[in-house]
Amino acid sequence: MRIFWTFFWTFLLVNMVTYVVSSMIGVAYHFATGTTLAVIATVLILLIAQLIPDDPVHH
């Protein structure tokens, strides 16, 4: 379920950013570009979450 919600919110936010940026620079909005970037961002987010240690650090 964690992976689904991560993809869901990443999908929405990345497509929103893609739409706004493409509108600001005056090019056509492509849904496929936003979706591809959302998949890549989701994989990176999940990878970084796995790499960060979860245990407390003892000094």
Side-chain angles (χ1 to χ4, degrees):
M1 208 56 191
R2 176 179 58 98
I3 294 172
F4 170 76
W5 287 114
T6 302
F7 176 71
F8 176 78
W9 287 110
T10 304
F11 177 80
L12 289 178
L13 292 172
V14 168
N15 272 291
M16 179 188 64
V17 168
T18 304
Y19 177 78
V20 170
V21 169
S22 66
S23 177
M24 289 175 63
I25 62 175
V27 298
Y29 167 69
H30 295 286
F31 181 76
T33 303
T35 302
T36 304
L37 290 173
V39 169
I40 293 169
T42 301
V43 170
L44 288 174
I45 290 169
L46 293 173
L47 182 65
I48 291 170
Q50 290 297 319
L51 292 176
I52 295 174
D54 200 22
D55 300 330
V57 178
H58 299 289
H59 294 276

